[in-house]
Amino acid sequence: MKKSARIWTALLLAAVMLAGCGNTADQKDSKAKQKTGAFPVTIDDASNQDVTIKKEPKKIVSLMPSNTEITYALGLGDKVVGVTSNDTYPKEVKKVEKVGDMNVNVEKVISLKPDLVLAHESSMAASADAIKQLKDAGITVLTVNDAQSFSEVYKSIEMIGEAAGAEKKADQLVKNMKSDLRDIQEKAKTISKNEEKSVFIEVSPDPDIYTTGKDTFMNEMLNVIHAKNAAADQTGWVQMTDEAIVKHNPDAIVTTDGVKAKAVEKRDGWSEINAVKHHRVYDVDPDLVTRSGPRLIEGVEELAESIYPDTFKE
């Protein structure tokens, strides 16, 4: 009996081990399928929902310009059937159906019969009702994270790539962005501590001037090029008074709101700011430095060339 019991025990252990190996193999197969863009895929999106995309999307609606830019950069432009009126890049979006601005035209979106709608974390509250209506209509909605750093931008790209069956392209795009960023960082190493400039970034004009503090990708952009954010004592996107800006006395001012340098230099009380005294006020393309998409590295380059022309302009 003892021998028989040992045999049965051995058989039972063998069965358990085989079952375990089978489960491991199944898990590996599942992960491998997701990595190769096979469907279905399940993604934990920025709304903390597990979103399952059953088939590769053929028709995509984007509710945020950064989502749109990422989608086109992944070679999926021919699948985009709807964008917002705020979308300006690439030029092909001008011909794409518009589905509202920050207010989503739900009926329009539904009429386009998309397989996938790319929403955005930053507008979750404002679009809550619209998103619910879309989901109730049986449309798959993926909420992309509101990126506040380069690593989070990469995450956005990878999320959209996985959702749309373009993971390899997403991986390559992220790899290229990281490589280009390293090239900029290498150039920035030649800037000494004594040469580093404090920079005030204006993202909204007077009378309600807003800037970008720490914990934002624009602050990270300044760090990359060895510039000091004049508003680094603030967090996130904040409003600042004229008096506070004058007190910070930045070496350079960058506007991303369409305000030209001459207009900034004429503001009352700003004449004593170092940036104004030495005519170091620059206006840059807002889309390059405020949209958390694939052109963000171009934004870093534009900032660098404006603030440190001797180092970065060839």
Side-chain angles (χ1 to χ4, degrees):
M1 292 294 292
K2 289 182 179 179
K3 183 177 180 181
S4 176
R6 286 198 299 271
I7 291 171
W8 278 110
T9 301
L11 289 171
L12 182 60
L13 286 170
V16 171
M17 289 176 68
L18 284 171
C21 289
N23 288 336
T24 302
D26 288 343
Q27 290 171 2
K28 287 182 178 178
D29 285 345
S30 176
K31 289 180 180 178
K33 283 180 182 177
Q34 291 203 14
K35 283 198 170 184
T36 56
F39 288 84
V41 295
T42 299
I43 301 171
D44 181 16
D45 75 355
S47 66
N48 294 320
Q49 300 290 318
D50 283 336
V51 179
T52 298
I53 301 156
K54 297 178 181 178
K55 296 180 181 179
E56 181 176 337
K58 302 299 181 185
K59 298 170 75 176
I60 300 172
V61 168
S62 170
L63 303 182
M64 184 64 65
S66 55
N67 289 347
T68 304
E69 292 200 19
I70 291 171
T71 305
Y72 272 85
L74 295 177
L76 302 169
D78 59 336
K79 295 185 178 184
V80 178
V81 296
V83 297
T84 74
S85 57
N86 296 319
D87 284 79
T88 55
Y89 187 90
K91 61 182 180 181
E92 289 82 1
V93 300
K94 293 179 181 178
K95 300 178 181 179
V96 179
E97 291 282 352
K98 302 302 181 288
V99 296
D101 39 38
M102 295 304 289
N103 297 309
V104 181
N105 185 332
V106 176
E107 291 183 359
K108 183 66 176 178
V109 175
I110 293 174
S111 73
L112 295 172
K113 299 180 179 179
D115 305 302
L116 177 65
V117 170
L118 298 173
H120 199 265
E121 184 181 9
S122 65
S123 58
M124 273 175 53
S127 305
D129 290 341
I131 298 303
K132 184 179 183 304
Q133 291 179 58
L134 293 175
K135 289 181 178 180
D136 289 345
I139 296 172
T140 302
V141 179
L142 183 77
T143 303
V144 180
N145 59 305
D146 183 18
Q148 296 299 325
S149 66
F150 286 111
S151 62
E152 290 178 3
V153 172
Y154 303 148
K155 180 181 176 181
S156 300
I157 293 170
E158 289 164 351
M159 184 186 294
I160 293 175
E162 183 179 3
E167 285 184 281
K168 287 185 179 179
K169 289 183 178 179
D171 289 344
Q172 188 59 52
L173 177 57
V174 169
K175 183 179 179 181
N176 292 344
M177 290 177 69
K178 289 180 177 179
S179 176
D180 291 342
L181 190 62
R182 282 195 296 270
D183 290 342
I184 296 172
Q185 289 172 318
E186 284 301 312
K187 282 187 178 181
K189 286 180 181 179
T190 63
I191 299 168
S192 68
K193 282 287 183 182
N194 292 334
E195 295 175 310
E196 288 184 4
K197 292 185 174 68
S198 64
V199 182
F200 178 80
I201 296 183
E202 179 177 296
V203 296
S204 178
D206 61 348
D208 300 316
I209 298 176
Y210 277 80
T211 190
T212 173
K214 59 186 178 182
D215 297 336
T216 64
F217 61 78
M218 291 184 74
N219 182 71
E220 190 174 358
M221 292 165 85
L222 291 176
N223 289 338
V224 164
I225 63 173
H226 287 215
K228 295 174 286 188
N229 186 352
D233 57 337
Q234 305 288 325
T235 301
W237 307 84
V238 293
Q239 185 175 1
M240 289 187 69
T241 64
D242 289 78
E243 292 78 14
I245 297 166
V246 171
K247 186 176 180 181
H248 279 74
N249 193 25
D251 299 313
I253 295 172
V254 173
T255 66
T256 68
D257 49 22
V259 177
K260 298 300 180 183
K262 287 183 179 179
V264 172
E265 292 180 354
K266 290 179 180 178
R267 287 176 180 166
D268 291 339
W270 286 45
S271 60
E272 292 305 306
I273 297 176
N274 279 337
V276 174
K277 278 192 212 176
H278 301 287
H279 303 291
R280 290 195 289 254
V281 181
Y282 316 103
D283 53 284
V284 300
D285 183 342
D287 293 348
L288 295 182
V289 294
T290 60
R291 287 186 183 174
S292 50
R295 294 194 296 159
L296 208 55
I297 307 303
E298 293 179 44
V300 179
E301 290 176 332
E302 187 163 339
L303 281 176
E305 290 175 0
S306 297
I307 298 165
Y308 298 117
D310 293 340
T311 301
F312 289 96
K313 279 190 177 179
E314 297 179 353

